[in-house]
Amino acid sequence: MYIGELARRSGATPKAIRLYEQLGLLGQIAREGCYRVYDAAQLQQVQLIRQAQRLGFSLAELAQALGSDPAQPDWRTLLDRIEAKRHEVLAEIARLRQLEHELGVVGEEIAGCLHGQPACEIDGA
């Protein structure tokens, strides 16, 4: 299939597909004259790349995890990267929960100021 068909089937833009190819994420692409010809394995690869991006992986991270042969991903490395990403997400959730708590405390202090509490002071100000 040509790049337009690959784009339609995968949901990626032709520009993105060319970038994936340039970064070596699609392996060797066959050519018919000056046209690139993609196969089902490359469609799967583009779908994997798009899924990984939705999960927060950068193209650089994918290039490292996929190894030298994108058609045969290093599944152990990919699994390790997924676990590392999960830990990053959990740490970010904890940070955001703490931030939400602090915003609530400051909001309550400001609400007290609006209601005329004596000696209205905001902590840390």
Side-chain angles (χ1 to χ4, degrees), residues 3-4 6-8 10-20 46 50:
I3 196 166
L6 178 61
R8 187 186 67 71
S10 68
T13 65
K15 183 178 179 180
I17 293 167
R18 285 186 204 97
L19 177 61
Y20 304 158
V46 171
R50 289 180 47 81

Side-chain angles (χ1 to χ4, degrees), residues 52-70:
Q53 287 182 302
R54 284 190 301 272
L55 294 172
F57 288 89
S58 69
L59 292 176
E61 288 174 309
L62 287 172
Q64 291 173 347
L66 290 174
S68 60
D69 183 5

